[in-house]
Amino acid sequence: MRILITNDDGIYSPGIASLAKVARKFGQVKLVAPDVEQSSMGHAVTHSRPLSYKKSPIEFPDVEAYRVNGTPADCVAMGTHLWNDVDVVLSGINMGPNLGNSMWHSGTLAAAKQAVLFGIKGIALSTPVGDTEPNFEALEPYVEQTLDLLLKDKELALYNVNFPAHPTDMMWTRQSVRLYDGTIIPGTDPLGRKHYWFTVSPLGPADEGTDRWAVENNLVSITPLRLDLTDEAVLAKKLMDQR
Ligand code: MN
């Protein structure tokens, strides 16, 4: 199996190293990831300047690593250009959760989406980060179990996986859809100029069966996603009204 790995935290993130270590048990692995952090870049692609890549000095045994001056989606395009017949794109392990509404902004998930747009299975993997770095070594058995489960299936698919800090089991979930308070917090820089932070927190508790609920209950959340955003119920009603 040919496994292309990328992320949005950049090639030097400990999360991508941990994922590469586990993925090697499942096949050949190449890393093609952004040279600097690209978190919350969503599905942006670079079109107004050329892309370039450099072989990264990071030493993974039997793994080539390349850093790209672009977004996570660019890295999937570059990775599949450099390497034919990729079977799956893994994105992560992101330092920070990608639950519920944050899927809209996630660069981690965008890389997996880009893979599916190319006809390749895409899996995004994330974990929360607190005051200390995530304990990736402790997560490894759960990452392996998840890959074992999701790589067996040969169907083209898109999955969003979130690991709690201390998992006890896994759960199939749906996306938590809640409105959030997109609050702008003003501040001042050292020269006294005004600047602003855009902060995001969900309004209301998570419903049972959702990705947020699973992670709050120490369960690995696996959400199957699709690219078609069409609201089928509204479309059916509009087509009916038109008659
Ligand atoms: Mn990130």
Side-chain angles (χ1 to χ4, degrees), residues 138-151:
L139 289 180
E140 276 168 17
Y142 292 93
V143 176
E144 185 171 344
Q145 222 180 309
T146 302
L147 293 184
D148 196 40
L149 179 70
L150 300 182
L151 295 181

Side-chain angles (χ1 to χ4, degrees), residues 23-227:
R24 279 180 62 239
K25 298 180 183 178
F26 294 87
Q28 273 180 283
V29 172
K30 278 190 211 250
L31 264 62
V32 180
D35 54 357
V36 294
E37 183 171 353
Q38 298 279 340
S39 291
S40 291
M41 289 298 280
H43 207 135
V45 293
T46 301
H47 73 94
S48 54
R49 60 168 176 82
L51 293 171
S52 61
Y53 67 89
K54 287 195 172 67
K55 198 160 183 184
S56 165
I58 284 180
E59 292 299 329
F60 295 97
D62 316 317
V63 174
E64 286 171 27
Y66 300 90
R67 55 195 157 99
V68 177
N69 62 342
T71 65
D74 291 334
C75 289
V76 175
M78 186 61 84
T80 51
H81 169 78
L82 291 171
W83 205 23
N84 293 330
D85 304 321
V86 169
D87 293 297
V88 62
V89 172
L90 305 180
S91 180
I93 299 169
N94 188 60
M95 309 262 281
N98 278 306
L99 300 164
N101 290 315
S102 60
M103 287 191 207
W104 290 100
H105 315 292
S106 171
T108 306
L109 180 58
K113 277 155 60 196
Q114 185 63 54
V116 177
L117 287 171
F118 287 150
I120 302 166
K121 181 185 285 188
I123 305 173
L125 306 103
S126 308
T127 196
V129 58
D131 294 336
T132 56
E133 299 279 60
N135 185 349
F136 287 112
E137 213 168 297
L139 289 180
E140 276 168 17
Y142 292 93
V143 176
E144 185 171 344
Q145 222 180 309
T146 302
L147 293 184
D148 196 40
L149 179 70
L150 300 182
L151 295 181
K152 248 188 246 155
D153 188 355
K154 296 289 167 226
E155 300 282 297
L156 176 64
L158 175 62
Y159 294 108
N160 186 40
V161 183
N162 281 271
F163 299 94
H166 306 287
T168 55
D169 204 350
M170 65 80 60
M171 183 182 172
W172 291 102
T173 59
R174 62 195 159 81
Q175 181 183 14
S176 166
V177 179
R178 286 281 186 203
L179 300 180
Y180 62 59
D181 65 338
T183 309
I184 294 285
I185 312 245
T188 45
D189 76 6
L191 296 174
R193 295 172 297 201
K194 281 209 154 144
H195 62 196
Y196 303 89
W197 287 100
F198 179 21
T199 67
V200 166
S201 47
L203 298 171
D207 292 317
E208 195 169 337
T210 62
D211 51 4
R212 272 176 68 205
W213 188 91
V215 170
E216 280 171 17
N217 287 277
N218 299 318
L219 301 168
V220 177
S221 162
I222 309 181
T223 312
L225 299 174
R226 60 176 181 184
L227 296 183

